[in-house]
């Protein structure tokens, strides 16, 4: 039987966790403050600590080093409903084994407890306290992203960042580097999509003097410049197959051979990659090496599009306004409504540019809807396959797998997936038939009242 210390000022959470712990055959002690928990930890031994962040008196993160002195190598699981990137990074850097986001269900807590006991020791990797680029977000999906960034920063594993254009993959890469043990070393960016096919090899690997008619001096490549730091391969899917093979050699051998040279140079860097494409489909199409895909995908982080984090839009807009010089800018109520109802196909990049335009447009401190530029049109989705149905199937499979693997979605997967797909179908039909219920319902094969009810359910009724 193991002993678990639960430190949280919410009595309902403590009761639920204590009952769960008992059902697992373990013993739980409860503390309502960090100070009370420290007294228990000083006078008794525990095999696991579940620690809330927001506590009366000393907060959980500040108390973590003191708990570590008493607990030794026992895992510490941090719990919070107020996660941001800095909180996640501090938790991991202070030695947290895992980071639980409230609200959570008991199945998630059970799985975390089992994983913690299966681990040999808590991850106490040292990290840098210097903050990188500020990533803004309070929604649960962004808290999960912050958690994964913090976990990635605490190790040296290769990271693959995935997401639509403009979601903030570059900021995430910077954040991982800035919070890692390599933060004092170079962060070298390779924009694969903008490299000339004829120059990509010399840009990456360097060249000796006289290798070509244009090489009037020897040059270190970007791989050599990244030594000791982080190599960021942006839009990695665009790297030519011939160069992918040479990159695999670098990753395998940890050395670089410049063009025209017979001498290799040892190198040591961490790799972070980013893509807006589905690399698995590229692998199937023979356009991306499978071994390189597995090498790059050591730890995957998917950054959600802005339309999946609507509650962050006003927070982001205020943040952009402040950083763009509009310190005293405010958003009229109609502007706030307009910002939250737009689809933002360009994601953060489009929102940033819209706020920049509005600040330049307005002569007052209040931003009105008329100060915003027209929204970007929906870009045609570039097919990753010659078979569009196959691409759609891949997307649905991936989303279904995400939901099935999410403890918070247990028993709700069907409903949640339907809620994500059905509104788009209904809206498309209504647009097609000029918001006339009868023809739209006939085309969909639904009764008119059923269509009306569903539109009401999703808040889409005209």
């Amino acid at each position: 039987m193991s002993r678990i210390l639960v430190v949280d000022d919410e009595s309902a959470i403590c009761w639920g966790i204590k009952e769960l712990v008992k059902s697992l055959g373990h013993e739980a002690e409860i503390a309502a403050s960090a100070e009370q928990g420290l007294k228990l930890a000083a006078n008794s031994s525990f095999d696991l600590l579940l620690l809330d962040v927001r506590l009366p008196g000393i907060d959980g993160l500040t108390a973590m080093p003191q708990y570590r002195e008493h607990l030794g190598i026992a895992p510490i699981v941090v719990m919070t409903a107020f996660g941001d990137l800095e909180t996640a990074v501090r938790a991991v850097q202070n030695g947290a084994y895992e980071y639980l986001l409230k609200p959570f269900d008991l199945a998630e807590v059970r799985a975390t407890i089992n994983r913690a006991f299966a681990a040999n020791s808590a991850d106490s990797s040292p990290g840098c306290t210097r903050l990188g680029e500020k990533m803004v977000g309070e929604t649960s999906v962004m808290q999960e992203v912050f958690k994964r960034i913090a976990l990635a920063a605490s190790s040296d594993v290769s990271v693959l960042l995935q997401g639509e254009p403009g979601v903030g993959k570059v900021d995430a890469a910077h954040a991982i580097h800035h919070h890692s043990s390599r933060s004092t070393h170079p962060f070298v960016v390779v924009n694969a999509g903008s490299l000339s096919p004829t120059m990509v090899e010399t840009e990456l690997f360097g060249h000796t003097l006289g290798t070509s008619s244009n090489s009037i001096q020897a040059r270190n490549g970007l791989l050599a410049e990244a030594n000791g730091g982080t190599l960021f391969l942006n839009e990695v899917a665009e790297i030519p197959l011939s160069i992918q093979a040479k990159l695999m050699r670098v990753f395998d051998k940890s050395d670089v051979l410049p063009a025209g040279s017979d001498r290799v140079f040892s190198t040591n860097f961490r790799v972070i990659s980013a893509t807006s494409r589905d690399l698995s489909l590229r692998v199937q199409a023979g356009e991306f090496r499978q071994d390189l895909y597995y090498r790059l995908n050591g730890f995957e982080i998917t950054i959600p599009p802005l339309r999946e984090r609507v509650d962050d839009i006003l927070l982001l807009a205020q943040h952009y306004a402040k950083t763009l010089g509009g310190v005293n800018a405010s958003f009229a109520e109609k502007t706030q409504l307009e910002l939250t109802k737009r689809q933002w196909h360009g994601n953060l990049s489009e929102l940033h540019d819209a706020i920049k335009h509005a600040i330049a447009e307005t002569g007052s401190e209040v931003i009105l809807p008329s100060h915003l530029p027209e929204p970007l049109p929906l870009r045609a989705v570039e097919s990753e396959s010659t078979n569009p149905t196959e691409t759609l199937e891949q997307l649905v499979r991936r989303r279904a797998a995400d939901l099935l693997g999410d403890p918070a979605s247990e028993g709700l997967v069907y409903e949640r997936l339907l809620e994500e797909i059905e509104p788009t179908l209904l809206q498309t039909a209504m647009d097609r038939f000029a918001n006339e219920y009868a023809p739209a319902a006939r085309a969909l094969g639904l009764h008119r009242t059923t269509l009306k009810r569903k539109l009401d359910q999703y808040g889409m009724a005209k």
Side-chain angles (χ1 to χ4, degrees):
M1 181 178 68
S2 299
R3 303 190 71 240
I4 299 175
L5 175 59
V6 182
V7 182
D8 197 308
D9 60 339
E10 296 184 60
S11 58
I13 289 178
C14 290
W15 179 85
I17 294 178
K18 186 171 184 177
E19 291 301 306
L20 170 66
V21 169
K22 286 169 58 179
S23 71
L24 294 175
H26 306 306
E27 179 183 345
E29 290 283 347
I30 304 298
S33 68
E35 293 88 344
Q36 183 183 354
L38 285 169
K39 290 181 181 178
L40 291 173
N43 296 317
S44 186
S45 62
F46 291 94
D47 304 293
L48 174 65
L49 168 64
L50 301 181
L51 177 65
D52 191 26
V53 171
R54 296 285 182 94
L55 293 166
I58 303 175
D59 67 87
L61 296 182
T62 301
M64 278 184 70
Q66 299 176 62
Y67 276 109
R68 179 57 64 206
E69 292 179 7
H70 297 305
L71 296 173
I73 64 171
I76 299 176
V77 174
V78 170
M79 307 180 292
T80 184
F82 305 94
D84 57 20
L85 179 56
E86 185 176 356
T87 301
V89 169
R90 282 186 62 197
V92 174
Q93 290 176 349
N94 284 348
Y97 166 75
E98 197 157 325
Y99 187 81
L100 270 177
L101 297 173
K102 297 179 178 179
F104 44 67
D105 57 28
L106 291 181
E108 189 175 359
V109 178
R110 181 189 301 111
T112 300
I113 290 174
N114 291 335
R115 285 195 300 270
F117 284 146
N120 291 329
S121 62
D123 179 8
S124 56
S125 303
C128 175
T129 58
R130 180 163 65 94
L131 294 178
E133 292 289 333
K134 178 65 176 176
M135 296 184 69
V136 176
E138 293 181 346
T139 54
S140 60
V141 291
M142 282 309 295
Q143 290 182 28
E144 180 64 25
V145 170
F146 295 154
K147 169 186 171 181
R148 293 189 67 78
I149 287 175
L151 293 171
S154 69
S155 73
D156 218 28
V157 67
S158 58
V159 179
L160 178 61
L161 300 167
Q162 298 194 109
E164 295 178 5
V167 294
K169 298 186 291 292
V170 175
D171 286 343
H174 275 285
I176 293 169
H177 173 73
H178 287 163
H179 292 295
S180 75
S181 59
R182 295 179 180 265
S183 61
T184 57
H185 296 283
F187 179 82
V188 177
V189 180
V190 178
N191 288 309
S194 62
L195 286 177
S196 165
T198 59
M199 296 297 293
V200 63
E201 182 173 356
T202 55
E203 287 287 331
L204 287 174
F205 298 92
H207 57 76
T208 59
L209 178 63
T211 302
S212 68
S213 58
N214 295 324
S215 57
I216 58 176
Q217 62 181 11
R219 177 182 175 183
N220 288 330
L222 296 174
L223 300 181
E225 292 178 7
N227 189 39
T230 299
L231 178 73
F232 177 45
L233 299 174
N234 196 19
E235 292 306 332
V236 67
E238 308 306 320
I239 296 177
L241 273 171
S242 60
I243 302 302
Q244 293 176 29
K246 294 182 178 181
L247 278 177
M248 271 304 301
R249 182 191 180 282
V250 173
F251 298 154
D252 285 337
K253 304 291 186 181
S254 298
D255 58 38
V256 176
L257 178 65
S261 175
D262 56 4
R263 178 187 171 195
V264 296
F265 296 90
S266 296
T267 187
N268 181 342
F269 51 76
R270 193 253 188 94
V271 181
I272 301 176
S273 306
T275 182
S276 56
R277 309 296 187 100
D278 189 329
L279 282 186
S280 64
L281 290 179
R282 289 296 178 98
V283 170
Q284 293 176 22
E287 297 171 350
F288 202 87
R289 290 177 63 101
Q290 187 174 50
D291 54 357
L292 181 59
Y293 171 65
Y294 290 138
R295 181 63 60 89
L296 297 176
N297 195 13
F299 189 84
E300 185 176 314
I301 301 177
T302 299
I303 304 178
L306 196 50
R307 62 183 175 276
E308 292 182 9
R309 42 181 301 212
V310 174
D311 290 343
D312 282 334
I313 289 177
L314 295 181
L315 182 68
L316 285 160
Q318 292 161 358
H319 170 71
Y320 290 148
K322 183 177 180 180
T323 58
L324 290 168
V327 178
N328 298 318
S330 62
F331 297 89
E333 186 173 343
K334 289 185 177 179
T335 309
Q336 295 180 33
L337 180 61
E338 174 64 21
L339 288 171
T340 54
K341 78 176 186 179
R342 288 194 179 189
Q343 288 298 302
W344 300 111
H345 303 303
N347 292 296
L348 301 186
S349 299
E350 183 185 357
L351 177 60
H352 178 275
D353 291 346
I355 302 304
K356 184 177 181 179
H357 179 280
I359 291 175
E361 186 80 19
T362 178
S364 65
E365 295 178 352
V366 179
I367 296 177
L368 302 175
S370 60
H371 296 140
L372 297 172
E374 289 297 313
L376 291 179
L378 176 62
R379 294 187 298 268
V381 179
E382 181 178 355
S383 176
E384 295 284 354
S385 168
T386 55
N387 183 349
T389 303
E390 181 182 1
T391 301
L392 178 60
E393 180 183 354
Q394 291 279 351
L395 292 173
V396 174
R397 280 181 178 273
R398 186 198 310 166
R399 184 58 183 147
D402 289 342
L403 290 172
L404 289 168
D406 180 7
S409 298
E410 186 173 356
L412 301 170
V413 171
Y414 178 81
E415 291 181 9
R416 290 193 176 181
L417 189 60
L418 192 63
E419 287 172 357
E420 293 179 6
I421 296 174
E422 194 172 40
T424 302
L425 172 62
L426 301 181
Q427 186 62 61
T428 302
M430 293 299 289
D431 291 344
R432 171 68 176 80
F433 294 99
N435 293 319
E436 293 291 334
Y437 287 103
R442 281 196 300 271
L444 291 168
L446 297 175
H447 193 278
R448 185 178 181 279
T449 56
T450 301
L451 175 59
K452 179 67 166 61
R453 176 176 54 79
K454 285 181 175 290
L455 290 171
D456 287 337
Q457 173 188 337
Y458 293 120
M460 298 164 58
K462 301 292 184 181

